[in-house]
Amino acid sequence: MMETAQEVKTRVYKFGNKTADGNSTMKNLLGGKGANLAEMGLIGIPVPPGFTITTDVCTEYNQLGQDAVIAMITQEVEDAIENIEQIMGSKFGDKENPLLVSVRSGARVSMPGMMDTVLNLGLNDDVVIGLAEKSGNERFAWDSYRRFIQMYGDVVLGMKPESKEDIDPFEEIMEALKHKRNIELDTEFTIQDLKDLVYDFKEAVKKRTGHNFPTNPWDQLWGAVVAVFNSWNSDRAIYYRKMNGYPGEWGTAVNVQAMVYGNMGLNSGTGVCFTRDAGTGENVFNGEYLINAQGEDVVAGTRTPQQITKLGSLRWAELAKVEEEDRAENYPSLEELMPTIYNELNEYQKKLELHYRDMQDMEFTMQDGKLWILQTRNGKRTGAAMVKIAMDSLKEGLISEKEALLQIEPSKLDELLHPVFDAKALKRANVIAQGLPASPGAATGKIVFFADEADHYKSSILVRIETSPEDLEGMNIAKGILTARGGMTSHAAVVARGMGKCCVSGAGALKIDYKKRTLTVDGVVYQEGDWISLNGSTGNIIEGKVATSEPELSGEFAELMELSDKYATMQVRTNADSPKDAKVAVKFGAQGIGLTRTEHMFFEVDRIKAMREMILADTLKGRKEALNELLPMQREDFEGIFEAMEGLPVTVRLLDPPLHEFVPHQLETQRSLAEDMHISLEAVKIKVAELEEFNPMLGHRGCRLGITYPEITEMQARAIIEAALNLKEKGIEAKPEIMVPLIGTIAEFEHQEAVIRATANKVFEERNDTVEYLVGTMIEIPRAAITANLIAEKADFFSFGTNDLTQMTFGYSRDDAGKFLPTYIEKGILKVDPFEVLDQEGVGQLVQIGTSKGRSVKSKLKVGICGEHGGDPSSVEFCYNTGMNYVSCSPYRVPIARIASAQAAIKAQQ
Ligand code: PEP
Ligand code: MG
């Protein structure tokens, strides 16, 4: 195929010596890795020189075959190698001054595991001697050679195990030698051993492939280039593309780059550095290096790495208790030891951060007094550092307000909102089991098995098979909660998150014996009173006491939240059941309450009795008497919450859970209740049995309670309206929004609405005063979402209860899903837990249908979400795109949702 002069296209792009033919916008042609290397070269960063063969060549290879393509690019590749030789001052294949290269694949997106890298290419029996002399390190030269044959043999020559039962053919040879020499580690091989290995490896190649191992560096190079192209159509690459929907036409680029070595003597070294402190966010350049070492030596921990800056070195010495004399002599900083190289590195770090507009994590190598930057990427950081870096960068003018907000990973803010384990203490911790990270934070305390014993110790951890609403008080007292059963929306998880309390749930490995008061894990028995620690952010369960520290909300955190308000259009409310929670949420910037679960109020000691009397009463009169006892308490609750919310809207949900959750199951409590009510123990037992349900979650709960016992709704509506009127008298505004749970049909809503409005009117008449209030409903049953247009005719607002909506759409019981969801996720049947991250594909459709059908009859219908998803960033973005007015989440997630809301608005603009 002939090309005319105009048609000649570039197939090989060079980079190095602070220049490049390509740039970062050319990812499709150069692959991600190639484009980034070019970009660094272009902005004057000394990356080891090299070149990229384009993805187009891969496509041509697939069409025209090997010979045609090699012929097409030979000239360009030879020129590019010469360019590397000039920059490096060495020669490919030269015996005295050899240039070695690496060969890597690089598609436009990263495809992990598609093809392994070949390092040290260019070695043969002669070159290895030159390398040994040049480096003054014979062992290093021979070790590089045996690694090269191994990698090349595997990747290019197909030296794989013969069957799945076999081991790697090279490993087999090494194992045999170790056995013969009676050694265990690779590092114990002598130079002669390494030479023997090289010989044996080459013999093995010849035996298996019928050909000698290629000794000519150019043959080696073309072999590797072709292997990279072939890897694009390997089974695993095809499978990976299919899984991710990447087309086969993309092809892969090939990156060939000079090898540089940090272990070539005292004028060489290697290190890792960060443009800012990844732990605290402080704007100080920092990092570690080692002289005469390879990259893995810095992380291996066998030698003590030295600090890059003098400031870092002084700080390190203070912590490590190293005297200044010792430090200056044995652990000097790079700044002190090699000031010229340090200054150069310092210049590059500034340049790279400015260029990538974010904190950079860089790797570098010095070979014979020359500095090379091997890699740069946006650095990982803690939550605190994330906030500080974003706000500092904004103030420094490095990034814009929108960029600062988008730089925040919302869920990482969690770390700033809960106590955390002391990092040093955590290093020594013994993790005994793993559960779900149900509610973040760190907790350490003594084991108690019963909620009413949580106050037996100053710090306790409540360990339960599962929790129930009866445990509420104990959960509040305990420092943390650990359960063997239950998922991310189990009672324990939901309540703990609401309280901002650390919780690990669903730890199946725990065997709890309430009678013996023991917790057994892997045969080890822990007694009541033993110390245990929980990491609610990772789900780790740790033996013994681990020190914790209180998080500090720094000034930047507040500034960041203020900034988010400038861009967020969708509001953030909170789910709060008490004035205390409400106040926390207001402090975090909640713009209202999206859900008050009134049932949680009935579990306090003085109330549960009246509640039980109400449930057990056989007559309307009996029920009303008990409800009259509850009324003043409920009213007081609402007054407290309304007051805490300072005139912001408060959505109060009517009683929702199945009644049997309130009845006493223990004989002792049943007996005392019978006495209080002047009925027989038998009568109590019969009633308890009557209330038992097969499927409580689908049973007598939600609005079904208010329909069968309208007097409950009456009492609650009265308490809400009276509370609002009482505050009005005190000059405090209250904005109640009364919410009916678990509606499936419009008739259910109409029934409850009538009871609420009649009650309100009655109270208004009695008090000769009125307040504004709304009556709306939760949409948490699929039927309600589908018939939302009918419901919106009557309802003042919708709030999507996506916990129940997920339960009923998937048909997964919220309380039992913990038994199979982990397996589902492990087997890839589900990508994530749908109770945590809204299933946009399925449940999300119902949310969209419900919203648009509702707004088709009431265009301004207020729509929100109050399921646990209201605090999950990706779900928040979905809610924004659905056009919701607000999301509502537990108090401690409010800042997360506020950032997510701002980000959703910014992304929609872009
Ligand atoms: C829901 O179902 O999403 C909800 C908020 O209500 P609850 O979790 O109390 O059932
Ligand atoms: Mg619900």
Side-chain angles (χ1 to χ4, degrees):
M1 194 166 67
M2 290 293 290
E3 282 168 340
T4 66
Q6 286 135 340
E7 275 172 343
V8 171
K9 63 175 181 187
T10 308
R11 292 185 169 86
V12 174
Y13 284 72
K14 299 190 283 291
F15 55 82
N17 206 16
K18 305 187 183 179
T19 65
D21 299 337
N23 63 55
S24 68
T25 65
M26 298 168 76
K27 287 207 167 75
N28 294 357
L29 189 65
L30 303 181
K33 195 177 289 152
N36 193 37
L37 283 167
E39 184 76 10
M40 281 208 283
L42 211 57
I43 62 170
I45 303 296
V47 290
F51 58 90
T52 304
I53 305 174
T54 67
T55 55
D56 277 358
V57 179
C58 181
T59 307
E60 286 171 329
Y61 171 83
N62 289 329
Q63 289 162 354
L64 309 173
Q66 179 172 330
D67 295 344
V69 162
I70 290 180
M72 222 183 256
I73 59 175
T74 297
Q75 190 58 51
E76 282 182 80
V77 169
E78 282 175 4
D79 289 349
I81 287 278
E82 202 182 310
N83 184 51
I84 304 178
E85 289 172 341
Q86 270 170 16
I87 297 170
M88 295 301 289
S90 54
K91 213 165 161 44
F92 194 49
D94 193 89
K95 287 174 203 164
E96 261 119 58
N97 187 16
L99 165 72
L100 303 182
V101 296
S102 65
V103 180
R104 294 178 166 97
S105 66
R108 67 169 77 171
V109 291
S110 128
M111 290 173 59
M114 195 181 84
M115 196 194 102
D116 306 308
T117 299
V118 179
L119 300 178
N120 302 323
L121 189 141
L123 278 169
N124 58 30
D125 292 353
D126 297 326
V127 172
V128 70
I129 293 164
L131 183 66
E133 269 165 27
K134 188 176 163 191
S135 64
N137 188 338
E138 196 181 6
R139 186 172 209 290
F140 151 72
W142 282 95
D143 197 42
S144 300
Y145 192 18
R146 75 100 190 149
R147 283 173 200 263
F148 165 58
I149 299 176
Q150 214 171 333
M151 277 192 203
Y152 194 91
D154 172 29
V155 175
V156 183
L157 304 176
M159 294 286 292
K160 311 273 182 202
E162 302 223 32
S163 76
K164 68 172 188 269
E165 287 81 19
D166 286 326
I167 66 164
D168 178 272
F170 297 119
E171 286 298 331
E172 200 176 343
I173 296 168
M174 297 220 298
E175 284 310 312
L177 184 61
K178 279 183 196 168
H179 186 73
K180 193 171 129 199
R181 299 253 301 97
N182 199 17
I183 56 174
E184 269 178 30
L185 302 174
D186 292 3
T187 45
E188 293 174 271
F189 284 132
T190 61
I191 295 171
Q192 189 53 49
D193 287 340
L194 293 168
K195 288 180 180 174
D196 291 348
L197 282 176
V198 163
Y199 180 84
D200 291 344
F201 281 4
K202 286 197 292 189
E203 284 301 300
V205 167
K206 190 170 177 189
K207 195 166 157 220
R208 173 85 83 87
T209 65
H211 299 286
N212 284 325
F213 186 87
T215 50
N216 181 329
W218 281 100
D219 291 344
Q220 293 174 356
L221 180 62
W222 289 119
V225 169
V226 165
V228 171
F229 286 150
N230 285 338
S231 73
W232 180 250
N233 282 322
S234 66
D235 288 347
R236 57 181 169 164
I238 291 171
Y239 181 79
Y240 191 88
R241 287 205 292 275
K242 226 186 229 160
M243 213 167 69
N244 291 284
Y246 302 151
E249 297 86 75
W250 281 1
T252 178
V254 185
N255 296 298
V256 179
Q257 201 175 8
M259 295 288 303
V260 289
Y261 298 95
N263 52 349
M264 284 218 176
L266 293 178
N267 211 12
S268 301
T270 189
V272 176
C273 57
F274 301 86
T275 59
R276 292 171 198 244
D277 191 309
T280 64
E282 190 185 355
N283 188 3
V284 287
F285 177 44
N286 66 97
E288 295 177 333
Y289 78 103
L290 276 175
I291 289 295
N292 199 11
Q294 278 186 299
E296 52 258 39
D297 299 329
V298 181
V299 281
T302 40
R303 284 169 59 189
T304 307
Q306 289 157 237
Q307 298 297 309
I308 287 177
T309 65
K310 178 152 187 214
L311 176 73
S313 186
L314 293 173
R315 286 182 181 180
W316 165 83
E318 202 181 321
L319 281 175
K321 304 214 167 11
V322 172
E323 293 294 329
E324 175 54 17
E325 215 172 297
D326 186 12
R327 184 202 73 78
E329 169 134 5
N330 298 312
Y331 307 101
S333 64
L334 186 70
E335 189 174 359
E336 294 157 290
L337 191 71
M338 298 180 169
T340 318
I341 289 216
Y342 169 80
N343 285 337
E344 200 186 338
L345 182 65
N346 192 23
E347 210 174 282
Y348 299 145
Q349 65 93 8
K350 284 187 202 150
K351 199 169 196 170
L352 281 168
E353 184 178 276
L354 202 63
H355 187 73
Y356 288 99
R357 306 165 84 82
D358 199 352
M359 187 262 273
Q360 296 297 298
D361 164 355
M362 305 152 54
E363 283 172 28
F364 66 91
T365 283
M366 303 167 280
Q367 176 176 304
D368 229 356
K370 166 108 184 86
L371 176 65
W372 301 102
I373 307 295
L374 303 185
Q375 175 160 300
T376 189
R377 56 189 163 195
N378 292 348
K380 298 231 175 305
R381 62 205 77 179
T382 65
M386 172 182 76
V387 172
K388 182 161 172 55
I389 290 172
M391 293 315 288
D392 280 357
S393 303
L394 172 64
K395 285 177 212 161
E396 293 158 16
L398 179 67
I399 54 174
S400 68
E401 288 180 347
K402 287 182 188 176
E403 283 175 304
L405 283 164
L406 290 176
Q407 215 177 69
I408 299 296
E409 200 184 308
S411 22
K412 275 198 92 62
L413 293 174
D414 244 359
E415 294 171 27
L416 299 175
L417 301 165
H418 301 275
V420 286
F421 280 125
D422 194 76
K424 270 198 223 123
L426 207 53
K427 276 200 183 131
R428 298 187 296 268
N430 176 21
V431 177
I432 54 168
Q434 172 88 26
L436 296 171
S439 180
T444 194
K446 292 182 172 180
I447 296 176
V448 295
F449 293 101
F450 301 95
D452 60 354
E453 296 175 8
D455 58 357
H456 284 193
Y457 304 104
K458 196 160 155 261
S459 299
S460 62
I461 300 286
L462 179 61
V463 180
R464 302 281 306 162
I465 294 173
E466 55 200 346
T467 61
S468 78
E470 282 172 68
D471 299 332
L472 203 67
E473 225 182 334
M475 292 169 76
N476 203 8
I477 293 166
K479 292 278 183 250
I481 299 144
L482 171 61
T483 69
R485 289 204 203 123
M488 295 295 287
T489 49
S490 65
H491 178 266
V494 171
V495 172
R497 277 200 290 276
M499 291 173 171
K501 185 145 303 210
C502 166
C503 173
V504 172
S505 68
L510 310 186
K511 302 269 171 303
I512 295 168
D513 190 331
Y514 287 140
K515 277 218 172 76
K516 289 193 192 139
R517 296 179 175 239
T518 56
L519 161 68
T520 309
V521 187
D522 269 344
V524 182
V525 182
Y526 300 89
Q527 310 283 344
E528 184 179 358
D530 284 350
W531 282 94
I532 192 174
S533 301
L534 307 177
N535 187 337
S537 312
T538 62
N540 281 348
I541 304 159
I542 302 159
E543 187 178 272
K545 194 174 174 178
V546 183
T548 59
S549 50
E550 276 301 312
E552 275 176 28
L553 294 194
S554 61
E556 280 107 3
F557 187 48
E559 288 166 21
L560 173 74
M561 295 320 301
E562 219 169 276
L563 185 63
S564 77
D565 287 344
K566 191 166 161 188
Y567 291 92
T569 49
M570 181 176 66
Q571 296 206 323
V572 176
R573 293 193 184 187
T574 189
N575 294 356
D577 309 335
S578 69
K580 186 173 142 241
D581 289 352
K583 279 184 195 142
V584 171
V586 169
K587 196 179 81 191
F588 287 148
Q591 291 155 304
I593 287 184
L595 174 64
T596 290
R597 291 178 166 102
T598 50
E599 58 269 19
H600 289 172
M601 300 168 171
F602 292 126
F603 282 100
E604 280 166 39
V605 193
D606 48 343
R607 302 167 182 210
I608 187 82
K609 204 173 122 259
M611 187 67 185
R612 284 172 172 160
E613 285 176 8
M614 194 273 292
I615 295 165
L616 296 190
D618 272 327
T619 61
L620 178 63
K621 185 168 160 286
R623 263 195 308 278
K624 283 203 166 168
E625 272 171 21
L627 284 166
N628 273 339
E629 267 183 71
L630 287 169
L631 175 67
M633 305 180 201
Q634 279 259 279
R635 195 171 49 219
E636 206 183 301
D637 292 332
F638 297 138
E639 281 177 24
I641 290 176
F642 292 152
E643 201 170 345
M645 291 311 288
E646 303 162 356
L648 294 168
V650 175
T651 308
V652 181
R653 182 180 70 186
L654 302 179
L655 195 65
D656 182 37
L659 285 183
H660 88 101
E661 281 195 12
F662 297 94
V663 303
H665 293 285
Q666 284 158 351
L667 191 63
E668 227 10 71
T669 346
Q670 288 180 354
R671 192 170 284 137
S672 91
L673 192 70
E675 271 168 30
D676 284 346
M677 290 180 73
H678 309 293
I679 54 174
S680 69
L681 175 61
E682 217 33 49
V684 172
K685 282 188 172 165
I686 289 171
K687 196 72 198 180
V688 170
E690 256 176 45
L691 285 166
E692 203 64 49
E693 290 178 300
F694 286 112
N695 284 314
M697 270 293 180
L698 301 175
H700 197 183
R701 62 170 286 218
C703 66
R704 299 157 204 171
L705 293 173
I707 291 170
T708 43
Y709 303 121
E711 52 280 8
I712 300 179
T713 303
E714 273 169 27
M715 183 280 283
Q716 292 200 294
R718 177 174 278 276
I720 296 166
I721 299 294
E722 286 183 352
L725 283 168
N726 288 351
L727 287 188
K728 188 178 173 187
E729 269 173 18
K730 287 203 251 169
I732 300 168
E733 195 190 1
K735 284 196 186 139
E737 299 179 345
I738 303 173
M739 182 154 79
V740 185
L742 224 70
I743 290 293
T745 72
I746 176 63
E748 286 174 320
F749 181 76
E750 282 170 335
H751 178 281
Q752 287 293 284
E753 189 199 11
V755 175
I756 295 163
R757 294 210 186 272
T759 307
N761 288 339
K762 215 157 138 198
V763 178
F764 293 157
E765 227 167 79
E766 288 164 17
R767 302 281 292 256
N768 203 17
D769 197 2
T770 60
V771 282
E772 300 246 342
Y773 70 100
L774 302 178
V775 185
T777 184
M778 294 193 72
I779 304 288
E780 50 185 343
I781 287 186
R783 193 183 190 285
I786 294 168
T787 59
N789 50 325
L790 303 177
I791 297 170
E793 302 250 5
K794 297 287 163 63
D796 291 333
F797 63 88
F798 282 0
S799 177
F800 283 91
T802 44
N803 299 336
D804 272 307
L805 195 60
T806 300
Q807 165 167 262
M808 295 191 218
T809 305
F810 275 93
Y812 297 163
S813 154
R814 286 163 68 172
D815 297 326
D816 302 307
K819 290 204 177 119
F820 55 86
L821 278 185
T823 310
Y824 267 42
I825 289 162
E826 197 182 298
K827 299 205 160 155
I829 290 172
L830 287 175
K831 284 212 175 80
V832 285
D833 182 342
F835 289 107
E836 246 181 280
V837 178
L838 188 74
D839 159 50
Q840 299 184 11
E841 196 177 42
V843 180
Q845 271 200 55
L846 286 169
V847 173
Q848 282 166 335
I849 291 168
T851 306
S852 66
K853 282 200 163 186
R855 293 219 173 116
S856 71
V857 294
K858 227 178 234 168
S859 64
K860 294 263 152 57
L861 182 73
K862 182 153 63 171
V863 177
I865 181 177
C866 63
E868 287 302 294
H869 308 94
D872 165 65
S874 69
S875 311
V876 170
E877 187 176 352
F878 174 83
C879 293
Y880 173 87
N881 292 329
T882 305
M884 285 196 191
N885 301 81
Y886 68 85
V887 293
S888 188
C889 55
S890 55
Y892 289 89
R893 290 197 80 85
V894 166
I896 294 169
R898 283 170 69 192
I899 293 283
S901 172
Q903 289 182 340
I906 293 170
K907 282 188 208 161
Q909 278 172 17
Q910 283 172 351

